[in-house]
């Protein structure tokens, strides 16, 4: 496993982090808790030292699984959780965003109980909250740091301009954003800001929310009741919707045939190596349900892509369908955020 500086925190973070959204059990289909615990243990044994979760993942269930998995190993891990997103009352659309000081304090107390620990290493505001000024939220985050319950703080799904506004009150130590071959919006503004300010970056969705594993076919169907991909939209981009999904499967097949196959590795490893090739990325989050998935994915941490391979990848990615230019995180995550960029026809 390779390690990188985690911004200016002084921490050294594994280039692959363990993402625990799938352990919610309600967003990526069912998952067995015992297997999830084994997967985390396998990742730690392979040198992964960053585990990312949130109270919004399964109404706290993901945190409970993580707490169980880290029993006896807590000091070996950079533990990241979040605040600022609550489940809505019955019958109301959600989730609800609330980054008020009272909610930050309530959520960190509940998270620590579920995680079976006295502190977390990084606490992130999960999504920007239009109803709470950034300065108010940042002062609340500083309060939990002063209390000793949190070491570092940051934001998730914030633009560079939003981070600049936050930093007028308190430093943003870490930023977490979606970044993968089918979503390069962060390269325009957010990543340059983080590089300039020395902010550690956690990239989520490294395998394109499953698309870049190569496991999907035209017959793949997602149950909207158990899998968020069923609505066709991934954080403002309709890459899973209808004809876009079919087109993207062909793009994935080209990546497998023209890049992964010649290297003799699974496509997931190429996708992970591609993410890690961006200098802003400190750690790339990858979810896994089983120890075998951990083994298959983490090997990508040791892979370096050549300039020729990157050029081939860029040419193929011009054919991705459902991308948008807009990154507007104050809008609901599962609605389209802008006009679709036309996909280039295969050469």
């Amino acid at each position: 496993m390779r390690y990188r500086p985690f911004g200016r925190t002084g921490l050294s973070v594994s280039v692959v982090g363990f993402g625990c959204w799938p352990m919610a059990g309600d967003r990526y289909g069912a998952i067995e808790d015992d297997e999830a615990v084994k997967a985390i243990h396998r990742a730690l044994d392979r040198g992964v030292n960053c585990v990312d979760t949130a109270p919004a993942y399964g109404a706290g269930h993901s945190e409970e699984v993580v707490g169980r998995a880290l029993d006896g190993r807590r000091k070996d891990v950079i533990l990241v959780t979040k605040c600022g997103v609550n489940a809505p009352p019955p019958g109301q659309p959600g989730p609800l965003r609330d980054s008020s000081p009272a909610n930050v304090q309530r959520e960190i107390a509940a998270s620590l109980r579920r995680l079976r620990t006295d502190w977390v290493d990084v606490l992130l505001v999960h999504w920007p909250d239009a109803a709470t000024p950034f300065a108010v939220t940042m002062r609340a985050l500083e309060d939990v740091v002063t209390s000793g319950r949190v070491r570092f703080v940051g934001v998730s799904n914030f633009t560079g301009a939003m981070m600049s506004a936050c930093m007028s009150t308190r430093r943003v130590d870490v930023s977490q954003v979606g970044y993968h071959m089918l979503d390069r919006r962060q390269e325009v503004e957010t990543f340059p800001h983080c590089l300039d300010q020395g902010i550690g970056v956690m990239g989520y969705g490294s395998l394109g929310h499953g698309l870049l594993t190569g496991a999907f076919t035209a017959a793949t169907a997602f149950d909207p009741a158990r899998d968020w991909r069923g609505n066709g939209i991934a954080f403002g981009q309709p890459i899973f919707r209808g004809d876009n999904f079919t087109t993207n499967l062909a793009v994935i097949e080209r990546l497998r045939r023209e890049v992964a196959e010649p290297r003799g590795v699974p496509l997931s490893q190429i996708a992970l190596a591609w993410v890690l090739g961006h200098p802003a990325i400190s750690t790339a989050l990858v979810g896994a349900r089983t120890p075998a998935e951990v083994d298959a994915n983490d090997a990508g941490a040791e892979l370096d892509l050549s300039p020729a391979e990157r050029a081939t990848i860029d040419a193929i990615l011009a054919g991705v369908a459902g991308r948008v230019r807009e990154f507007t995180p104050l809008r609901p995550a599962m609605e389209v955020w802008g006009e679709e960029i036309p996909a280039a026809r295969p050469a």
Side-chain angles (χ1 to χ4, degrees), residues 21 47 56 63 70 95 97 134 139 145 185 191-192 228 260 271 278-279 319 330 334 337 345:
W21 191 16
E63 288 185 324
L70 297 186
R97 303 184 187 185
F134 294 143
R139 283 194 290 269
V145 171
R185 290 172 290 180
F191 283 176
W228 65 271
H278 197 289
L330 284 173
M334 302 310 166
W337 288 355
R345 293 184 178 182

PDB file of all heavy atoms in Angstrom, residues 21 47 56 63 70 95 97 134 139 145 185 191-192 228 260 271 278-279 319 330 334 337 345:
ATOM      1  N   TRP A  21     -20.458   3.483   2.486  1.00  0.00           N
ATOM      2  CA  TRP A  21     -21.850   3.710   2.092  1.00  0.00           C
ATOM      3  C   TRP A  21     -22.570   2.389   1.791  1.00  0.00           C
ATOM      4  O   TRP A  21     -23.722   2.202   2.210  1.00  0.00           O
ATOM      5  CB  TRP A  21     -21.905   4.655   0.891  1.00  0.00           C
ATOM      6  CG  TRP A  21     -23.288   5.159   0.567  1.00  0.00           C
ATOM      7  CD1 TRP A  21     -24.397   5.120   1.355  1.00  0.00           C
ATOM      8  CD2 TRP A  21     -23.697   5.806  -0.649  1.00  0.00           C
ATOM      9  NE1 TRP A  21     -25.475   5.698   0.716  1.00  0.00           N
ATOM     10  CE2 TRP A  21     -25.070   6.126  -0.518  1.00  0.00           C
ATOM     11  CE3 TRP A  21     -23.039   6.147  -1.832  1.00  0.00           C
ATOM     12  CZ2 TRP A  21     -25.793   6.761  -1.531  1.00  0.00           C
ATOM     13  CZ3 TRP A  21     -23.764   6.791  -2.832  1.00  0.00           C
ATOM     14  CH2 TRP A  21     -25.120   7.087  -2.682  1.00  0.00           C
ATOM     15  N   GLY A  47      -3.193  -2.825   4.492  1.00  0.00           N
ATOM     16  CA  GLY A  47      -2.536  -1.538   4.668  1.00  0.00           C
ATOM     17  C   GLY A  47      -3.429  -0.332   4.558  1.00  0.00           C
ATOM     18  O   GLY A  47      -2.961   0.802   4.716  1.00  0.00           O
ATOM     19  N   ALA A  56     -25.760   9.269   7.911  1.00  0.00           N
ATOM     20  CA  ALA A  56     -26.810   9.184   6.890  1.00  0.00           C
ATOM     21  C   ALA A  56     -26.806   7.843   6.160  1.00  0.00           C
ATOM     22  O   ALA A  56     -27.765   7.537   5.454  1.00  0.00           O
ATOM     23  CB  ALA A  56     -26.650  10.316   5.878  1.00  0.00           C
ATOM     24  N   GLU A  63     -22.292   3.183  10.533  1.00  0.00           N
ATOM     25  CA  GLU A  63     -21.408   3.510  11.654  1.00  0.00           C
ATOM     26  C   GLU A  63     -21.365   2.372  12.672  1.00  0.00           C
ATOM     27  O   GLU A  63     -20.302   2.074  13.239  1.00  0.00           O
ATOM     28  CB  GLU A  63     -21.866   4.800  12.333  1.00  0.00           C
ATOM     29  CG  GLU A  63     -21.610   6.053  11.511  1.00  0.00           C
ATOM     30  CD  GLU A  63     -21.976   7.316  12.264  1.00  0.00           C
ATOM     31  OE1 GLU A  63     -22.971   7.301  13.023  1.00  0.00           O
ATOM     32  OE2 GLU A  63     -21.267   8.328  12.095  1.00  0.00           O
ATOM     33  N   LEU A  70     -13.930  -2.076  14.044  1.00  0.00           N
ATOM     34  CA  LEU A  70     -12.715  -1.431  14.566  1.00  0.00           C
ATOM     35  C   LEU A  70     -12.451  -1.749  16.029  1.00  0.00           C
ATOM     36  O   LEU A  70     -11.504  -1.211  16.608  1.00  0.00           O
ATOM     37  CB  LEU A  70     -12.807   0.086  14.371  1.00  0.00           C
ATOM     38  CG  LEU A  70     -12.878   0.580  12.923  1.00  0.00           C
ATOM     39  CD1 LEU A  70     -12.809   2.099  12.875  1.00  0.00           C
ATOM     40  CD2 LEU A  70     -11.772  -0.032  12.072  1.00  0.00           C
ATOM     41  N   PRO A  95     -32.979  13.461   1.650  1.00  0.00           N
ATOM     42  CA  PRO A  95     -32.736  13.796   3.060  1.00  0.00           C
ATOM     43  C   PRO A  95     -32.788  15.308   3.320  1.00  0.00           C
ATOM     44  O   PRO A  95     -32.804  16.107   2.389  1.00  0.00           O
ATOM     45  CB  PRO A  95     -31.331  13.252   3.289  1.00  0.00           C
ATOM     46  CG  PRO A  95     -30.679  13.336   1.950  1.00  0.00           C
ATOM     47  CD  PRO A  95     -31.754  13.048   0.949  1.00  0.00           C
ATOM     48  N   ARG A  97     -31.078  18.686   5.045  1.00  0.00           N
ATOM     49  CA  ARG A  97     -29.765  19.219   5.384  1.00  0.00           C
ATOM     50  C   ARG A  97     -29.887  20.138   6.591  1.00  0.00           C
ATOM     51  O   ARG A  97     -30.747  21.025   6.615  1.00  0.00           O
ATOM     52  CB  ARG A  97     -29.164  19.950   4.193  1.00  0.00           C
ATOM     53  CG  ARG A  97     -29.044  19.062   2.950  1.00  0.00           C
ATOM     54  CD  ARG A  97     -28.358  19.778   1.810  1.00  0.00           C
ATOM     55  NE  ARG A  97     -28.401  18.997   0.580  1.00  0.00           N
ATOM     56  CZ  ARG A  97     -27.797  19.326  -0.553  1.00  0.00           C
ATOM     57  NH1 ARG A  97     -27.075  20.458  -0.605  1.00  0.00           N
ATOM     58  NH2 ARG A  97     -27.904  18.564  -1.612  1.00  0.00           N
ATOM     59  N   PHE A 134     -22.182  29.465   6.362  1.00  0.00           N
ATOM     60  CA  PHE A 134     -20.972  28.656   6.503  1.00  0.00           C
ATOM     61  C   PHE A 134     -20.185  29.042   7.754  1.00  0.00           C
ATOM     62  O   PHE A 134     -19.620  28.183   8.436  1.00  0.00           O
ATOM     63  CB  PHE A 134     -20.080  28.812   5.268  1.00  0.00           C
ATOM     64  CG  PHE A 134     -20.676  28.264   4.005  1.00  0.00           C
ATOM     65  CD1 PHE A 134     -20.482  28.905   2.790  1.00  0.00           C
ATOM     66  CD2 PHE A 134     -21.423  27.088   4.013  1.00  0.00           C
ATOM     67  CE1 PHE A 134     -21.022  28.406   1.612  1.00  0.00           C
ATOM     68  CE2 PHE A 134     -21.971  26.571   2.850  1.00  0.00           C
ATOM     69  CZ  PHE A 134     -21.769  27.235   1.644  1.00  0.00           C
ATOM     70  N   ARG A 139     -17.773  27.531  12.919  1.00  0.00           N
ATOM     71  CA  ARG A 139     -17.535  27.764  14.345  1.00  0.00           C
ATOM     72  C   ARG A 139     -17.998  26.559  15.168  1.00  0.00           C
ATOM     73  O   ARG A 139     -17.349  26.205  16.166  1.00  0.00           O
ATOM     74  CB  ARG A 139     -18.252  29.042  14.791  1.00  0.00           C
ATOM     75  CG  ARG A 139     -17.544  30.324  14.372  1.00  0.00           C
ATOM     76  CD  ARG A 139     -18.075  31.543  15.106  1.00  0.00           C
ATOM     77  NE  ARG A 139     -19.422  31.890  14.688  1.00  0.00           N
ATOM     78  CZ  ARG A 139     -19.709  32.730  13.694  1.00  0.00           C
ATOM     79  NH1 ARG A 139     -18.725  33.297  13.005  1.00  0.00           N
ATOM     80  NH2 ARG A 139     -20.967  33.017  13.403  1.00  0.00           N
ATOM     81  N   VAL A 145     -13.801  20.350  17.756  1.00  0.00           N
ATOM     82  CA  VAL A 145     -12.361  20.104  17.794  1.00  0.00           C
ATOM     83  C   VAL A 145     -11.811  20.492  19.165  1.00  0.00           C
ATOM     84  O   VAL A 145     -11.045  19.748  19.791  1.00  0.00           O
ATOM     85  CB  VAL A 145     -11.640  20.884  16.674  1.00  0.00           C
ATOM     86  CG1 VAL A 145     -10.116  20.803  16.863  1.00  0.00           C
ATOM     87  CG2 VAL A 145     -12.017  20.336  15.310  1.00  0.00           C
ATOM     88  N   ARG A 185     -15.807  16.795 -13.116  1.00  0.00           N
ATOM     89  CA  ARG A 185     -16.152  18.190 -12.850  1.00  0.00           C
ATOM     90  C   ARG A 185     -15.216  18.848 -11.849  1.00  0.00           C
ATOM     91  O   ARG A 185     -14.981  20.062 -11.915  1.00  0.00           O
ATOM     92  CB  ARG A 185     -17.604  18.280 -12.360  1.00  0.00           C
ATOM     93  CG  ARG A 185     -18.635  17.978 -13.440  1.00  0.00           C
ATOM     94  CD  ARG A 185     -20.038  17.881 -12.878  1.00  0.00           C
ATOM     95  NE  ARG A 185     -20.217  16.687 -12.049  1.00  0.00           N
ATOM     96  CZ  ARG A 185     -21.352  16.373 -11.432  1.00  0.00           C
ATOM     97  NH1 ARG A 185     -22.404  17.164 -11.537  1.00  0.00           N
ATOM     98  NH2 ARG A 185     -21.444  15.265 -10.711  1.00  0.00           N
ATOM     99  N   PHE A 191     -10.467  21.022  -7.360  1.00  0.00           N
ATOM    100  CA  PHE A 191      -9.119  20.481  -7.186  1.00  0.00           C
ATOM    101  C   PHE A 191      -8.045  21.568  -7.202  1.00  0.00           C
ATOM    102  O   PHE A 191      -7.136  21.543  -6.353  1.00  0.00           O
ATOM    103  CB  PHE A 191      -8.830  19.419  -8.243  1.00  0.00           C
ATOM    104  CG  PHE A 191      -9.475  18.083  -7.969  1.00  0.00           C
ATOM    105  CD1 PHE A 191      -9.360  17.045  -8.889  1.00  0.00           C
ATOM    106  CD2 PHE A 191     -10.194  17.856  -6.808  1.00  0.00           C
ATOM    107  CE1 PHE A 191      -9.939  15.816  -8.641  1.00  0.00           C
ATOM    108  CE2 PHE A 191     -10.787  16.620  -6.554  1.00  0.00           C
ATOM    109  CZ  PHE A 191     -10.654  15.590  -7.480  1.00  0.00           C
ATOM    110  N   PRO A 192      -8.094  22.536  -8.119  1.00  0.00           N
ATOM    111  CA  PRO A 192      -7.094  23.607  -8.050  1.00  0.00           C
ATOM    112  C   PRO A 192      -7.120  24.356  -6.718  1.00  0.00           C
ATOM    113  O   PRO A 192      -6.067  24.708  -6.176  1.00  0.00           O
ATOM    114  CB  PRO A 192      -7.489  24.520  -9.220  1.00  0.00           C
ATOM    115  CG  PRO A 192      -8.141  23.598 -10.204  1.00  0.00           C
ATOM    116  CD  PRO A 192      -8.894  22.620  -9.361  1.00  0.00           C
ATOM    117  N   TRP A 228     -29.993   3.242  -5.065  1.00  0.00           N
ATOM    118  CA  TRP A 228     -30.177   4.615  -5.526  1.00  0.00           C
ATOM    119  C   TRP A 228     -29.925   4.776  -7.024  1.00  0.00           C
ATOM    120  O   TRP A 228     -30.439   5.708  -7.654  1.00  0.00           O
ATOM    121  CB  TRP A 228     -29.275   5.563  -4.745  1.00  0.00           C
ATOM    122  CG  TRP A 228     -27.806   5.333  -4.958  1.00  0.00           C
ATOM    123  CD1 TRP A 228     -26.999   4.504  -4.250  1.00  0.00           C
ATOM    124  CD2 TRP A 228     -26.960   5.947  -5.939  1.00  0.00           C
ATOM    125  NE1 TRP A 228     -25.698   4.546  -4.733  1.00  0.00           N
ATOM    126  CE2 TRP A 228     -25.660   5.427  -5.766  1.00  0.00           C
ATOM    127  CE3 TRP A 228     -27.188   6.885  -6.947  1.00  0.00           C
ATOM    128  CZ2 TRP A 228     -24.590   5.807  -6.569  1.00  0.00           C
ATOM    129  CZ3 TRP A 228     -26.116   7.268  -7.748  1.00  0.00           C
ATOM    130  CH2 TRP A 228     -24.838   6.737  -7.552  1.00  0.00           C
ATOM    131  N   ALA A 260      -7.331  -2.218 -20.055  1.00  0.00           N
ATOM    132  CA  ALA A 260      -7.156  -3.202 -18.982  1.00  0.00           C
ATOM    133  C   ALA A 260      -6.618  -4.532 -19.498  1.00  0.00           C
ATOM    134  O   ALA A 260      -5.697  -5.107 -18.908  1.00  0.00           O
ATOM    135  CB  ALA A 260      -8.484  -3.422 -18.255  1.00  0.00           C
ATOM    136  N   ALA A 271      -9.270   1.850 -13.295  1.00  0.00           N
ATOM    137  CA  ALA A 271     -10.079   2.988 -12.843  1.00  0.00           C
ATOM    138  C   ALA A 271      -9.501   3.613 -11.587  1.00  0.00           C
ATOM    139  O   ALA A 271      -9.461   4.842 -11.445  1.00  0.00           O
ATOM    140  CB  ALA A 271     -11.511   2.527 -12.601  1.00  0.00           C
ATOM    141  N   HIS A 278      -4.374  11.823 -10.297  1.00  0.00           N
ATOM    142  CA  HIS A 278      -4.547  13.268 -10.142  1.00  0.00           C
ATOM    143  C   HIS A 278      -3.820  13.741  -8.886  1.00  0.00           C
ATOM    144  O   HIS A 278      -4.020  13.183  -7.808  1.00  0.00           O
ATOM    145  CB  HIS A 278      -6.027  13.641 -10.050  1.00  0.00           C
ATOM    146  CG  HIS A 278      -6.261  15.101 -10.305  1.00  0.00           C
ATOM    147  ND1 HIS A 278      -5.892  16.081  -9.401  1.00  0.00           N
ATOM    148  CD2 HIS A 278      -6.778  15.752 -11.382  1.00  0.00           C
ATOM    149  CE1 HIS A 278      -6.186  17.263  -9.904  1.00  0.00           C
ATOM    150  NE2 HIS A 278      -6.730  17.101 -11.097  1.00  0.00           N
ATOM    151  N   PRO A 279      -3.003  14.764  -8.978  1.00  0.00           N
ATOM    152  CA  PRO A 279      -2.177  15.182  -7.829  1.00  0.00           C
ATOM    153  C   PRO A 279      -2.979  15.722  -6.647  1.00  0.00           C
ATOM    154  O   PRO A 279      -2.458  15.778  -5.531  1.00  0.00           O
ATOM    155  CB  PRO A 279      -1.281  16.275  -8.415  1.00  0.00           C
ATOM    156  CG  PRO A 279      -1.995  16.755  -9.644  1.00  0.00           C
ATOM    157  CD  PRO A 279      -2.711  15.563 -10.185  1.00  0.00           C
ATOM    158  N   GLY A 319     -16.613   9.512 -25.262  1.00  0.00           N
ATOM    159  CA  GLY A 319     -17.869   8.879 -25.637  1.00  0.00           C
ATOM    160  C   GLY A 319     -18.836   8.667 -24.491  1.00  0.00           C
ATOM    161  O   GLY A 319     -19.914   8.081 -24.696  1.00  0.00           O
ATOM    162  N   LEU A 330     -25.976  22.530  -3.963  1.00  0.00           N
ATOM    163  CA  LEU A 330     -27.118  22.955  -3.157  1.00  0.00           C
ATOM    164  C   LEU A 330     -28.414  22.324  -3.666  1.00  0.00           C
ATOM    165  O   LEU A 330     -29.421  22.330  -2.968  1.00  0.00           O
ATOM    166  CB  LEU A 330     -27.243  24.485  -3.163  1.00  0.00           C
ATOM    167  CG  LEU A 330     -26.236  25.229  -2.283  1.00  0.00           C
ATOM    168  CD1 LEU A 330     -26.355  26.735  -2.506  1.00  0.00           C
ATOM    169  CD2 LEU A 330     -26.428  24.888  -0.810  1.00  0.00           C
ATOM    170  N   MET A 334     -29.929  13.687  -6.500  1.00  0.00           N
ATOM    171  CA  MET A 334     -30.435  12.749  -7.485  1.00  0.00           C
ATOM    172  C   MET A 334     -31.390  13.390  -8.480  1.00  0.00           C
ATOM    173  O   MET A 334     -32.342  12.769  -8.951  1.00  0.00           O
ATOM    174  CB  MET A 334     -31.086  11.546  -6.777  1.00  0.00           C
ATOM    175  CG  MET A 334     -30.139  10.809  -5.848  1.00  0.00           C
ATOM    176  SD  MET A 334     -28.543  10.378  -6.641  1.00  0.00           S
ATOM    177  CE  MET A 334     -27.552   9.934  -5.212  1.00  0.00           C
ATOM    178  N   TRP A 337     -28.382  18.153 -12.901  1.00  0.00           N
ATOM    179  CA  TRP A 337     -27.900  19.483 -12.552  1.00  0.00           C
ATOM    180  C   TRP A 337     -27.639  20.393 -13.749  1.00  0.00           C
ATOM    181  O   TRP A 337     -27.283  21.569 -13.569  1.00  0.00           O
ATOM    182  CB  TRP A 337     -26.620  19.376 -11.723  1.00  0.00           C
ATOM    183  CG  TRP A 337     -26.862  18.871 -10.332  1.00  0.00           C
ATOM    184  CD1 TRP A 337     -28.067  18.620  -9.751  1.00  0.00           C
ATOM    185  CD2 TRP A 337     -25.875  18.567  -9.343  1.00  0.00           C
ATOM    186  NE1 TRP A 337     -27.899  18.169  -8.465  1.00  0.00           N
ATOM    187  CE2 TRP A 337     -26.554  18.121  -8.186  1.00  0.00           C
ATOM    188  CE3 TRP A 337     -24.491  18.605  -9.321  1.00  0.00           C
ATOM    189  CZ2 TRP A 337     -25.902  17.727  -7.023  1.00  0.00           C
ATOM    190  CZ3 TRP A 337     -23.823  18.218  -8.170  1.00  0.00           C
ATOM    191  CH2 TRP A 337     -24.518  17.789  -7.023  1.00  0.00           C
ATOM    192  N   ARG A 345     -18.989  10.281 -30.876  1.00  0.00           N
ATOM    193  CA  ARG A 345     -19.157   8.973 -31.509  1.00  0.00           C
ATOM    194  C   ARG A 345     -17.838   8.225 -31.524  1.00  0.00           C
ATOM    195  O   ARG A 345     -16.767   8.845 -31.704  1.00  0.00           O
ATOM    196  CB  ARG A 345     -19.688   9.134 -32.931  1.00  0.00           C
ATOM    197  CG  ARG A 345     -21.119   9.688 -33.003  1.00  0.00           C
ATOM    198  CD  ARG A 345     -21.613   9.734 -34.422  1.00  0.00           C
ATOM    199  NE  ARG A 345     -22.989  10.208 -34.494  1.00  0.00           N
ATOM    200  CZ  ARG A 345     -23.679  10.304 -35.619  1.00  0.00           C
ATOM    201  NH1 ARG A 345     -23.102   9.978 -36.784  1.00  0.00           N
ATOM    202  NH2 ARG A 345     -24.931  10.732 -35.592  1.00  0.00           N
TER     203      ARG A 345
END
